[in-house]
Amino acid sequence: MDFVTALESLVGELEEGLRKAGGPEELEALRVDVLGRKGRLAQIISRLSDLEPEERPTAGQAANRVKEHCNALFEERRKTLLAAGEAAGLARFDPTLPGRAPWRGSLHPTTLITEEICGIFTGMGFEVASGPEVENDYYNFEALNMPPEHPARDMQDTLYITKNVLMRTHTSPVQVRAMTTRTPPLAVIAPGKVYRRDSDLTHTPMFHQIEGLMVDKDITMAHLRGTLTAFVRAVFGQRTRVRFRPSFFPFTEPSAEVDISCCLCGGKGLTQGEACRVCKGTGWVEILGCGMVDPAVFTAVGYPDEVSGFAFGLGVERVAMLKYGIGDLRMFFENDVRFLRQFA
Ligand code: DAH
């Protein structure tokens, strides 16, 4: 076959091949076969030297034209295939599918429970109050009927900053601050961080408490019982049973600890035939301390003899553990997102 005929038939074959090429891989294979360094066109061009010298310029020009033409054919086919691919992709794209929502974070369980509890008490007319975490000995101990050398100070492992300044060991000093800045009647709730020199499986150096205080004329233990029973049932469910057990706190007289029927075993003391791990088989779990405000505290804040009141204090992490069935206190402080995002 003479040189020019060979070129023409190559173009014919290429047009045929391009029509059949259905995708980018086939197109590339065809390009290598025809236009590659050792491809069919290169083979034809290598025959230029066999021609008579006077035929070579026209033959060379023809080869160049064919090369350009082939390149243009490839480019055209590539564009058509690309457009078809995009159209097919768009056809598969379903704009009605819901998008992938980004995770928006969630409130920490301590915050959730604090907000829930404060909401319950503000609903009953309590006002939210706060006080400093770095506290004076006077507010943390002395005004709460714990003078220096009082043995009850040993109940709380205090972190001291100086002899008189300390990290508050409970939220009870907010009671004193609330009473010194308000006149009765008053009802306050005070959430916040407290600190103790204590760290093991069930104690952390910092944890959260909520303090409550109500003062008026003729406040009795019945108000205390009614208020705390309503609170407990709002958090743990209306069927929760509540019991008040005599106890001791320097700032209340009489004092009590409140137990609720165990949320895990429902008060039976048994789960799957074994002693319940939450209540240790007793059917009850302790949830807060409370009592009638000791007259010595009223004296310290300069309140008149006619008033009476009740106070209570509870641990927020403890309530959260019981309510959500969290078995390990450390979970609250590790900030593992796999734990935290369950509260979203
Ligand atoms: N402050 C106590 C504590 O940290 C809790 C407490 C008990 C607070 C009885 C009170 C109360 O107001 O009346 O252990």
Side-chain angles (χ1 to χ4, degrees), residues 49-67:
S49 50
D50 302 340
L51 298 180
E52 299 303 323
E54 60 276 14
E55 288 175 344
R56 286 182 202 164
T58 19
Q61 281 163 8
N64 277 337
R65 274 199 307 277
V66 164
K67 190 174 181 178

Side-chain angles (χ1 to χ4, degrees), residues 90-109:
L90 277 178
R92 279 196 303 274
F93 172 68
D94 180 355
T96 65
L97 284 176
R100 252 177 241 153
W103 183 46
R104 287 160 73 206
S106 52
L107 291 178
H108 193 281

Side-chain angles (χ1 to χ4, degrees), residues 156 170 172 175 196 209 211 249 251-252 289-291 311-313:
Q156 309 184 345
H170 51 180
S172 302
Q175 280 187 37
R196 293 191 191 175
Q209 282 191 339
E211 192 78 11
F249 298 102
F251 30 90
T252 43
C290 63
F312 58 90

